[in-house]
Amino acid sequence: MLKTTLAGLRAHLLRLVLTALAITLGVGFVSGTFVLTDTMRAGFDQQFTASADKVSVAVLPGGDADTVPAALLSRVKGVSGVQDAQGLVRGTAPLVGKDGKVYGDSGTAGVSISTGALQRYHVESGRPPAGPGAVVLDTKTARRTGYKVGDTVSVIDRQNRARSFTVSGLVDFGVDQEVGYRGAVGFTAATAAEMTGEHGYAEIDVKAAPGTSDAALRDAVAQAAGGSYDVLTSAQLADRLSKSSGLSTGELTAFFLAFAIVALFVAALVIYNTFNILIAQRTREMALLRCVGATRAQVFRGVLAEATIVGLAASALGVLAGVGLGAGGATLFASADNTSVGSVSVSVTPVVVGLVVGLAVTLVSALLPARAATRVPPVAALRTQAEGPVKGRAGIIRMVLGSLLVLAGLGIVALALMTKAGEGPFLMVLAGSMVIFLGVIALSPFIVRRLSGVVGWLPARLLGVPGRLARENAGRNPKRAAITTIALTVGVTLMTTFSVALASSQATTTAQLAKQFPVDYQLTTVGDRLIPRQAAATLRTKPQLSDVIEVRNADDARFDGQETGVGTVAGHALGRSIKPEIVAGSITDLAPGTVALHEDTAKSFGVGVGRQVTVTRGAQRLSLRVVAVFSGETPIPNVTINEADFDRAFGVRDDSEVYVMAKKGVSTDVSRQVIDDATKAYPTVKVGSLADVKAEFTKAFNQLFVLVGALLGLAIIISLIGIANTLTLSVVERTRESALLRALGLTRDGLRWMLSLEAVIMAVIGALLGVMLGSGFGWAAVNAVADGAVLSFPVLRVVAFVLVAGLAGLIAAVVPSRRAARASIVASLASD
């Protein structure tokens, strides 16, 4: 029987090529995910180890402390076995870009660069700072700002003064998370302390003298430092750096594997359909095997043996493809982040998991077709069998089961939408959507049969006989067509769900921004620095602006005995330019001796309108009456008091934020230029607008869509392979039929059009099903996550999905249709 199986496999090898390709792509995704994350993990571990290897022992703050006292450095230097010890200063030292404004939203980190044997960072070009007038820049910051070695740069010190330095070198800080986000300027230790205002060290690095082990030195340093610090060896420091970096390759693996599972599910549908068609086409072959003595078990094992061979071969190719995909992905990540991840790391995991998953998916998908092969009676060798409509008892069971699943899923989704938005309702929507989709799969033969007539109506009207034949062929074998279209439906459903959810999230965010920030411009500053009051005073003199609103905050206050932030807003703006949603009272009544509270603050302190509360700062004490409670995200502080009360309790302070309204009729370009000119003297002041914020959100949403679309694209490609495979096998099955049509007058072009339109109809049916399901799933998911979400439907994007699916179906039919058109009429009529 094994020889028979191998002979049959050789005879039908070409028919299994596309199936093997589907398995290869799915397995390649899985293996590539593990290769990618293994390579990234190995590369980052190497960088952490290389950085920590320069250090024998490190002393870090313990408990809730942020720094190590500077006085501890001299004690550590006096420990026996210490060759050298240096303190690392880390704070904020904003670099001024070539546009006159500080670089980044948070200001660059100001760090000290160690010297000698303790220099942990790689100097890419130039040299480390050797004196108070020199700095180094991290390579990313230098690239983005355009500075190079030898340039003069301005850096803002703790007193908001700009100081000039010469760039002596460019440094690669490796995978330092803070530097990667903010950028960094490196100084000598003394200059770093002066510029950042830090009085302690973020870390003390110690180098052991020759002959002293790291463990022994750690114990000695720990004894000298006392028990309130974390004293680590080089290996422990590397482990700490890795854990605190925020890098989670486990989450990255889970993210990519989720899409790999989708691809494998689609591949499983393709495999099932392929073997199902092959068994139907080989009915007489199976019957002849039964006639010559093959048992049901032998036939079953023969089909599974074919699946095993195909699965193993395709999975092996998938593992090889996965190595390439993983290496390419690691290179892409490294180039995007301008880092090095080292050489490709291939462990046993991607090989074993790829082979096991590929083989398991293939075998499970081939089980039902193999079982169907055992039911072929020997008498079938004398007649021809073909698949037809779903009918009889099996059809009734399928319809009832599918309907029950859809109704159950709708019930779960409805229950979720009646619950307060949050993680729980979202998971309920997810579960309900999966149940609905299972119901649709069960009902798909009935759905496809009906939709084939609807979708095929236009081709039938416009393209005559080929169009009418294509419409009839698309619905002739509904079970086969259903599996083919459902494979595409999976990808389009997920794409549409994500598109609708993304568009609705974007619309909801835009609506919330417009409601929460009813101003044209917002002035902020980096770090904990403040905006000089003179900036707002200058803006008030500009005739192009209608309103300038100042917000001031104080974090050193106590509200009813508990430490909390207190702020104030220019009094004339509340209730006029800034209108928070009022829960109780009136915000316009904020006179001296009163306070307005955010709803969350009022609830946490158990107070409401009319209650007396106290705000204290040192000896200053204010007794205030609550006159308003407001809600939502607003630009005003959660505890807002009158301007005069704030100045009396906290002194005259600079502004934390400034909001600006342009005068009606003044264009955006003019008003923005006026504000930029007025704030040019303040490099730490950043000017933002609602349009800027919306643009940032839009960019982030679009990048997310491109990423998810690219990952789901593999599942869609596999589904299109399924359409091509089904059509290819169908051409073989309908060889005599096609020849008869040719003999009756159908031209080669007509036959090509018939087969191409059949593929287009199946692709469009799958896309339409996906669009309908995805639209509902996306809307439900958004409403489950956020109450009051704004529904937005990306019409152009969804229409593009359907059009691209139709075009892809047309492309998938090119090879099968050409093969059918080229066949000889006489030879085809004589074929069996």
Side-chain angles (χ1 to χ4, degrees), residues 529-720:
R529 288 166 168 76
L530 300 176
I531 303 171
R533 283 199 178 193
Q534 185 59 38
T538 302
L539 291 170
R540 283 199 181 89
T541 66
K542 304 301 178 181
Q544 296 88 347
L545 308 178
S546 63
D547 209 352
V548 179
I549 306 156
E550 299 157 89
V551 177
R552 303 183 192 110
N553 288 297
D555 297 326
D556 53 344
R558 301 187 74 82
F559 181 83
D560 269 3
Q562 296 185 35
E563 189 173 338
T564 190
V566 174
T568 188
V569 180
H572 64 280
L574 290 174
R576 186 168 61 86
S577 299
I578 295 183
K579 302 174 182 178
E581 185 176 342
I582 301 300
V583 176
S586 173
I587 199 76
T588 57
D589 296 334
L590 196 65
T594 63
V595 62
L597 303 176
H598 190 277
E599 184 179 25
D600 294 340
T601 303
K603 287 180 179 179
S604 64
F605 284 92
V607 297
V609 173
R611 289 284 301 274
Q612 289 292 131
V613 297
T614 59
V615 172
T616 58
R617 175 180 177 262
Q620 292 287 342
R621 184 177 186 278
L622 298 175
S623 180
L624 308 171
R625 179 172 56 89
V626 180
V627 295
V629 176
F630 56 91
S631 64
E633 295 288 338
T634 68
I636 66 176
N638 287 347
V639 179
T640 301
I641 65 177
N642 181 269
E643 202 172 351
D645 287 341
F646 185 89
D647 290 343
R648 186 168 69 253
F650 303 102
V652 178
R653 297 192 175 193
D654 285 334
D655 302 323
S656 302
E657 295 174 303
V658 176
Y659 298 97
V660 183
M661 299 288 289
K663 189 171 290 184
K664 288 186 178 180
V666 177
S667 69
T668 302
D669 292 340
V670 171
S671 59
R672 179 61 181 257
Q673 189 61 51
V674 167
I675 296 174
D676 287 340
D677 291 342
T679 58
K680 187 175 294 183
Y682 311 102
T684 60
V685 175
K686 312 279 286 185
V687 181
S689 67
L690 180 60
D692 294 335
V693 177
K694 286 171 61 177
E696 289 181 8
F697 275 109
T698 300
K699 182 180 178 181
F701 283 136
N702 289 338
Q703 288 175 338
L704 188 59
F705 174 77
V706 170
L707 173 62
V708 173
L711 294 174
L712 287 176
L714 183 61
I716 294 176
I717 289 173
I718 294 175
S719 66
L720 293 174

Side-chain angles (χ1 to χ4, degrees), residues 1-16 278 282 285-286 289 301-303 305-307 309-310:
M1 191 65 189
L2 180 59
K3 291 182 179 180
T4 304
T5 299
L6 293 176
L9 188 61
R10 285 194 297 270
H12 303 292
L13 188 60
L14 291 178
R15 303 185 191 184
L16 293 168
L278 286 176
R282 295 162 62 188
E285 178 185 326
M286 299 294 175
L289 287 175
R301 288 196 298 268
V303 174
E306 288 185 18
I309 295 170
V310 173

Side-chain angles (χ1 to χ4, degrees), residues 27-252:
V27 171
F29 203 155
V30 174
S31 297
T33 296
F34 286 105
V35 172
L36 169 64
T37 52
D38 286 348
T39 299
M40 292 179 66
R41 186 184 299 112
F44 288 132
D45 287 346
Q46 184 179 6
Q47 292 189 46
F48 290 130
T49 303
S51 176
D53 274 348
K54 304 290 182 65
V55 178
S56 301
V57 172
V59 182
L60 286 79
D64 297 329
D66 295 323
T67 59
V68 175
L72 182 60
L73 179 59
S74 59
R75 295 212 309 269
V76 171
K77 286 184 175 181
V79 173
S80 177
V82 171
Q83 177 180 318
D84 190 15
Q86 299 179 32
L88 299 183
V89 178
R90 184 174 288 240
T92 298
L95 172 70
V96 180
K98 292 185 177 182
D99 60 353
K101 292 293 183 180
V102 296
Y103 166 76
D105 295 327
S106 305
T108 48
V111 300
S112 62
I113 303 297
S114 300
T115 59
L118 288 172
Q119 183 178 313
R120 292 167 54 180
Y121 306 123
H122 174 63
V123 180
E124 295 258 336
S125 62
R127 60 182 184 277
V135 296
V136 293
L137 303 179
D138 79 278
T139 51
K140 294 179 188 176
T141 301
R143 187 178 70 254
R144 292 167 183 168
T145 58
Y147 289 126
K148 57 184 182 298
V149 175
D151 286 349
T152 299
V153 297
S154 292
V155 184
I156 308 299
D157 66 10
R158 187 61 185 173
Q159 286 73 39
N160 269 353
R161 299 172 302 188
R163 294 177 53 178
S164 297
F165 296 87
T166 299
V167 179
S168 66
L170 303 181
V171 175
D172 180 7
F173 283 83
V175 287
D176 189 305
Q177 187 181 21
E178 182 183 11
V179 172
Y181 172 68
R182 299 174 59 187
V185 182
F187 310 88
T188 62
T191 307
E194 182 182 348
M195 292 295 294
T196 62
E198 296 291 337
H199 301 295
Y201 298 121
E203 179 182 326
I204 294 177
D205 290 342
V206 185
K207 190 69 175 178
T212 304
S213 68
D214 290 356
L217 186 60
R218 177 199 58 195
D219 296 339
V221 170
Q223 184 176 1
S228 58
Y229 306 102
D230 292 336
V231 183
L232 310 175
T233 63
S234 174
Q236 291 170 332
L237 177 62
D239 186 58
R240 171 77 68 92
L241 289 173
S242 178
K243 290 179 179 178
S244 64
S245 68
L247 174 69
S248 177
T249 53
E251 293 179 2
L252 190 65

